[in-house]
Amino acid sequence: MRSKQGSSWRYMLQLISVVAFVMLLASLSYPPGRENWLLQWASRLDPWLLLSQLRWQQAVPAWVWLPLLTVTATLLWGRVFCGWLCPLGAMLMWTDKIGKAAFKNMSPVRVQILRTVQPIRYYWLLVLLIVFALGSNWVIFLTPFALFSHELARVLQGYMPWLLIGIMAGTLLFSRLWCSVLCPTGVLLSLAARLRLFGYRIAGNCVYCEQCASACSVGAASVDTAVAQAGCLACGDCHRVCPAKAISWQHRWPSGKDSRLVPADGGAAAKRQGSRRQFLKAAGAVALAAAFWEKTVGAAEPVLRPPGSLPAPDFTAVCNRCGRCIQVCPGKALQPMPITDGLTNFATPYIIPRQSRCDLCLSCQEVCPTGAIVQVPLDKVRMGRAILDKSRCIAWEENKLCFICGEQCPVLAITGDEYHRPTILLDKCAGCGSCENACPVAGEAAIRVLPQ
Ligand code: SF4
């Protein structure tokens, strides 16, 4: 791979990836069109989404070839998905470049931190897999397309993207620690990249200047090893900075070390082993405690979900909090649940009918990439069920002329008697919240919609 030419292509692809993702998400509106399909395709490149589908559907989806494409590319060239295509990765690459320029003196410290922490990523992957197997979908939330989508949707809805800001601030200080160690997709692909066919290799004319290690934003380049490590993003930065031109893109096998390279520091390796173990214990305890908390203390009261949502426990286990349903909702009825409603529910979509009603446009069903909202025909939608408190209803209690709930019901699930007093036809009620939203009674409505 010619490095200069390669990096121009890479920058261009990354720029296209970020701009396209932002524009597609910003243009996602009712009724969803081509932009929705492009977003769906992009999201499905992530193998974690396939794992999530397999977990709850127990069937291979028709789009299985998309994540397989990513895995195949990784088996050939390593983490090209992370280094060349991922929009979050591109954002973090630019942030890292700013960090490198701003904290030039800290460069050796940044390299050392990366190299010390990087080997724990497979233990971290194990922790993620355990949490995922326990039924949590937080792992999927942290994957790049879901996280970037969630944070962009927050910006478009007028909120601060705190998580993205935090990750970018961390990148300024610690280089691409997120991409190297913490990103679930990054670590999963690092595992596949151990088998890659091609990669950067250091030859015997290396002068041990360690410039490759300083340039590598994920800590994958090192003169300790003959080939770049599995975390390598195939960006070519090491090749570009090497003064001896000792690094080249080659077939990786056999992976034996060039005898003219300096031996690895055994003491440092042993130290790293020790810190790995400590990290594993700490991260394992935190992750299991979070999974336990999510399942118990974090679980909140049932709420009204978008039309076609999976039943309560499945919904939060499948939704990746990408926020696209919230973004596409024309009446802004869908809102992200706050953290105060529990870790399980955090950032998942819900409706507060007293504030806004669902217009039953069903756009959310079309844009959901995970299957948390499935396509259900309008006459089969059952988001909740309306209940009438006759003691609060002014038509029943005060004999006033009011049939607003019946007039607003889009599925004609409320009938009136000769005095226009409402009665609910439960078998027709879609639970959209129109009646509760329109009820003129002050405070709590006389007619309310309870979640199914
Ligand atoms: S329900 Fe679907 S579209 Fe909405 S946030 Fe969850 S995954 Fe995204």
Side-chain angles (χ1 to χ4, degrees):
M1 191 180 288
R2 287 230 185 95
S3 191
K4 252 197 175 152
Q5 205 178 19
S7 66
S8 316
W9 277 106
R10 185 167 59 93
Y11 291 151
M12 204 167 12
L13 260 179
Q14 287 181 306
L15 189 66
I16 292 172
S17 159
V18 173
V19 173
F21 202 81
V22 173
M23 284 177 64
L24 288 173
L25 198 78
S27 59
L28 195 62
S29 57
Y30 172 78
R34 212 173 300 157
E35 75 284 355
N36 175 39
W37 287 107
L38 290 169
L39 282 169
Q40 300 270 26
W41 278 40
S43 305
R44 288 169 177 173
L45 282 170
D46 194 317
W48 276 106
L49 203 60
L50 175 64
L51 291 180
S52 172
Q53 289 277 315
L54 291 175
R55 187 180 61 176
W56 81 268
Q57 263 187 343
Q58 279 142 28
V60 179
W63 45 266
V64 64
W65 60 276
L66 280 164
L68 287 183
L69 213 61
T70 307
V71 174
T72 309
T74 310
L75 290 173
L76 284 174
W77 306 296
R79 289 173 60 192
V80 282
F81 169 82
C82 307
W84 289 62
L85 272 183
C86 173
L88 182 61
M91 298 281 292
L92 298 184
M93 181 200 72
W94 294 321
T95 311
D96 179 47
K97 287 203 182 300
I98 296 171
K100 275 193 176 120
F103 306 110
K104 257 189 192 141
N105 299 341
M106 279 178 60
S107 182
V109 183
R110 286 156 63 97
V111 172
Q112 197 47 49
I113 292 173
L114 258 186
R115 286 173 64 175
T116 309
V117 180
Q118 199 208 30
I120 61 174
R121 62 178 183 266
Y122 298 124
Y123 300 101
W124 175 238
L125 178 61
L126 186 65
V127 170
L128 292 176
L129 286 168
I130 292 172
V131 172
F132 179 73
L134 287 173
S136 167
N137 224 32
W138 269 84
V139 181
I140 311 296
F141 172 57
L142 295 177
T143 58
F145 283 117
L147 194 145
F148 198 45
S149 185
H150 170 82
E151 293 297 284
L152 276 180
R154 276 183 69 83
V155 174
L156 293 168
Q157 289 146 24
Y159 299 104
M160 284 295 276
W162 288 118
L163 195 52
L164 186 61
I165 290 173
I167 293 171
M168 288 173 89
T171 305
L172 280 177
L173 293 174
F174 305 114
S175 219
R176 292 176 70 178
L177 191 65
W178 178 268
C179 303
S180 170
V181 179
L182 298 172
C183 170
T185 306
V187 285
L188 191 64
L189 294 181
S190 288
L191 192 65
R194 288 175 80 93
L195 301 172
R196 70 198 185 282
L197 278 184
F198 297 95
Y200 281 104
R201 181 184 277 277
I202 307 174
N205 50 331
C206 166
V207 292
Y208 319 126
C209 64
E210 294 267 5
Q211 288 202 37
C212 51
S214 303
C216 182
S217 57
V218 288
S222 161
V223 292
D224 288 355
T225 51
V227 289
Q229 291 167 25
C232 172
L233 305 177
C235 68
D237 283 349
C238 55
H239 170 84
R240 219 168 7 264
V241 298
C242 178
K245 295 286 165 250
I247 302 177
S248 54
W249 180 259
Q250 285 184 22
H251 205 283
R252 263 188 75 239
W253 305 99
S255 60
K257 194 172 159 121
D258 190 314
S259 59
R260 289 166 295 176
L261 285 170
V262 286
D265 178 351
K271 244 191 235 165
R272 283 203 289 267
Q273 280 280 0
S275 50
R276 272 180 232 177
R277 252 179 249 126
Q278 277 174 359
F279 172 85
L280 180 63
K281 280 184 200 158
V286 170
L288 289 177
F292 178 74
W293 187 64
E294 185 182 346
K295 288 267 162 239
T296 54
V297 189
E301 294 291 301
V303 289
L304 210 58
R305 295 293 187 184
S309 293
L310 296 175
D314 289 345
F315 183 80
T316 46
V318 175
C319 170
N320 68 3
R321 287 99 171 140
C322 68
R324 289 184 203 164
C325 51
I326 298 169
Q327 170 70 13
V328 81
C329 182
K332 300 293 164 218
L334 291 179
Q335 300 177 26
M337 289 187 78
I339 189 86
T340 46
D341 279 325
L343 203 55
T344 308
N345 288 314
F346 172 60
T348 56
Y350 79 135
I351 297 168
I352 306 174
R354 201 60 174 145
Q355 291 177 10
S356 50
R357 66 181 203 182
C358 171
D359 288 332
L360 295 175
C361 71
L362 309 187
S363 297
C364 50
Q365 296 181 359
E366 286 182 54
V367 301
C368 179
T370 61
I373 311 173
V374 286
Q375 306 226 353
V376 172
L378 185 55
D379 60 336
K380 296 276 183 298
V381 168
R382 294 291 180 269
M383 301 158 64
R385 66 201 147 78
I387 53 155
L388 179 68
D389 181 351
K390 286 184 181 169
S391 67
R392 290 181 63 76
C393 174
I394 53 175
W396 281 97
E397 193 61 21
E398 299 171 27
N399 294 325
K400 287 188 176 161
L401 194 62
C402 174
F403 189 59
I404 292 177
C405 54
E407 284 161 4
Q408 292 297 319
C409 179
V411 290
L412 308 178
I414 301 174
T415 52
D417 60 13
E418 69 268 37
Y419 304 109
H420 296 288
R421 292 178 305 194
T423 300
I424 301 162
L425 306 174
L426 274 179
D427 57 328
K428 280 190 171 183
C429 176
C432 67
S434 298
C435 50
E436 182 174 339
N437 183 255
C439 179
V441 173
E444 189 175 281
I447 189 164
R448 289 172 53 227
V449 180
L450 303 182
Q452 277 290 23

